[in-house]
Amino acid sequence: MSSSLRFDRGHTDDLMAFLMASPSPYHAVATAAERLEKAGFRQVEETAAWDGTSGGKYVLRGGAIVAWYVPEGAAAHTPYRIVGAHTDSPNLRVKPLPDTGAYGWRQVAVEIYGGTLLNTWLDRDLGLAGRISLRDGTHRLVNIDRPLLRVPQLAVHLDRSSNTDGLKLDRQKHMQPIWGLGAVEEGDLIRFVAEEAGVDAEDVTGWDLMPHPVEPPAYLGRDSELLAGPRMDNLLSVHAATAALAAVAGQPDSELPYIPVMAAFDHEENGSQSDTGADGPLLGTVLERSVFARGGAYEDRARAFAGTVCLSSDTGHAIHPNYAERHDPTHHPMVNGGPILKVNVNMRYATDGGGRAVFAAACQKADVPWQTFVSNNSMPCGTTIGPITAARHGIQTVDIGVAILSMHSARELCGADDPYLLANALAAFLAG
């Protein structure tokens, strides 16, 4: 593997900055695009005609980004090497009528997005981020990155059973954050957000806003061998894929037998069924248009897809020392043990034996250790964009990721070495 593609602990430092800059899917794709621009990529509009020129290109749509690098002289039927990930994380989302409250408290009405661990959002200082939509059809990113909201927990004196019978949270009644005192005023929150964004509140006609923890990521442990932070599921993979694609695009074109691609989708946490989700047409449309822009026909498209492989990169479960019985008795992924290969014979993960071989070869090329994850047979298995990608596009897909603890918490935990080990494996895979 080229020394220019090696990442070290500095990659993990950079991941921390990426997490802080990306409190929403819209910020995540903007941050990724900014980094790709510095690597020479340019944005192409979906509504414009595409040409067959070589180089790095990317498409933005809402909270999704697809980026690819076409080597000089690539044929129309050249296969792709794709890293897939997702930009969304389980959290709280602001409702269309956000202003609420009671008994002198001003609150913000929220919905629960995805399978979040509700208790991890209690008594945590929260900012507010996302995007607002303006009357002229444009969007504006918003990031109020200071303590603004809080979901207060009930004192133990008023719920003596919380430590014995377990904390019971009603998703509707107990998760509405407070943000001030006084009478509830309709339109108050959006007026405040508009002022923070520097726009007229009358011009704001829509919003996609979400609270986020303002506590920054941090190294943890006696030897700083762990990393704690928000939204690792799955911005850790988005960051690694962005870095890997930018590094591979810096190689001589003659060394790239494939067209490397990074596809980061929104809405994975609630099923991927949207125009920016993996179950939508975005990836297939981009890949097809790239084939046709290079003068290809349907036969070239079929040949390219037949030779394409996708690594679906998402976080997985590290062995939990306090709940070891919940894991498979013979598969114990460890943090800092390298990326994991995720296997489920019922196709909750898309990995098969051939995919295992592809991943093993990439890790060997990158000199990166790797591990295998399977679920305990008595536990239902989660899923990813992997099976969706394989079924929708007919592309060989392999599910991988980084083993973490506290998945779907407002603050997750991984090994501090694993992010750059993943990035090295992804770069080796993309480079072919």
Side-chain angles (χ1 to χ4, degrees), residues 205-224:
T205 55
W207 51 87
D208 301 280
L209 299 170
M210 55 205 75
H212 66 277
V214 298
E215 182 183 6
Y219 287 107
L220 183 147
R222 186 192 66 177
D223 300 316
S224 299

Side-chain angles (χ1 to χ4, degrees), residues 9 37 105 126 235 294 306 359 378-379 381 423 429:
R9 185 63 74 85
E37 288 273 355
W105 294 99
L126 304 172
L235 294 188
R294 283 176 281 122
F359 179 62
S378 301
M379 299 283 176
C381 180
F429 166 76

Side-chain angles (χ1 to χ4, degrees), residues 33 64 98 265 305 309 311 329 366 368 426:
F265 303 99
F305 277 42
V309 183
L311 291 189
V368 166
L426 296 184

Side-chain angles (χ1 to χ4, degrees), residues 309 351-361 396-398:
V309 183
T351 306
D352 63 9
R356 174 190 173 100
V358 171
F359 179 62
Q396 182 184 18
T397 304
V398 189

Side-chain angles (χ1 to χ4, degrees), residues 106-126:
R106 293 159 65 193
Q107 295 174 272
V108 175
V110 296
E111 286 187 273
I112 311 301
Y113 178 84
T116 186
L117 286 170
L118 297 179
N119 65 294
T120 67
W121 288 83
L122 302 179
D123 298 334
R124 193 178 291 273
D125 296 341
L126 304 172

Side-chain angles (χ1 to χ4, degrees), residues 4 6 34 72 124 159 168 198-200 222 228 235 247 271 280 297 302-303 310 353 360 413 424:
S4 65
R6 292 300 303 181
E34 181 181 2
E72 188 73 37
R124 193 178 291 273
D159 185 6
K168 296 179 176 61
V199 301
D200 191 329
R222 186 192 66 177
L235 294 188
R303 293 174 65 187
C310 174
L413 184 72
N424 280 306

Side-chain angles (χ1 to χ4, degrees), residues 90-145:
N91 61 5
L92 312 178
R93 303 286 176 104
V94 175
K95 288 183 176 181
L97 300 176
D99 300 294
T100 187
Y103 305 106
W105 294 99
R106 293 159 65 193
Q107 295 174 272
V108 175
V110 296
E111 286 187 273
I112 311 301
Y113 178 84
T116 186
L117 286 170
L118 297 179
N119 65 294
T120 67
W121 288 83
L122 302 179
D123 298 334
R124 193 178 291 273
D125 296 341
L126 304 172
L128 191 65
R131 69 176 183 180
I132 53 176
S133 302
L134 304 181
R135 194 177 303 279
D136 62 4
T138 62
H139 304 285
R140 184 74 61 89
L141 294 182
V142 179
N143 184 10
I144 306 170
D145 196 31

Side-chain angles (χ1 to χ4, degrees), residues 248-402:
V248 168
Q251 289 193 105
D253 284 5
S254 59
E255 296 182 12
L256 295 178
Y258 303 97
I259 295 174
V261 181
M262 184 265 286
F265 303 99
D266 202 352
H267 303 130
E268 189 273 346
E269 298 293 354
N270 60 11
S272 296
Q273 292 186 321
S274 70
D275 69 318
T276 53
D279 204 17
L282 179 59
L283 176 61
T285 299
V286 168
L287 299 183
E288 289 178 348
R289 291 186 68 177
S290 179
V291 168
F292 300 151
R294 283 176 281 122
Y298 182 82
E299 181 71 9
D300 298 291
R301 181 260 189 215
R303 293 174 65 187
F305 277 42
T308 292
V309 183
C310 174
L311 291 189
S312 164
S313 182
D314 203 345
T315 55
H317 302 294
I319 182 73
H320 197 304
N322 298 338
Y323 301 92
E325 72 281 359
R326 303 295 181 98
H327 298 266
D328 182 84
T330 59
H331 294 76
H332 297 158
M334 292 289 297
V335 299
N336 287 335
I340 56 174
L341 180 76
K342 300 157 80 170
V343 178
N344 180 262
V345 295
N346 296 302
M347 288 292 104
R348 300 291 285 172
Y349 302 130
T351 306
D352 63 9
R356 174 190 173 100
V358 171
F359 179 62
C363 290
Q364 182 179 10
K365 180 180 179 182
D367 193 24
V368 166
W370 60 279
Q371 313 172 78
T372 305
F373 170 85
V374 296
S375 288
N376 186 308
N377 284 328
S378 301
M379 299 283 176
C381 180
T383 190
T384 67
I385 66 168
I388 294 171
T389 303
R392 182 170 183 84
H393 306 294
I395 289 172
Q396 182 184 18
T397 304
V398 189
D399 272 296
I400 67 160
V402 162

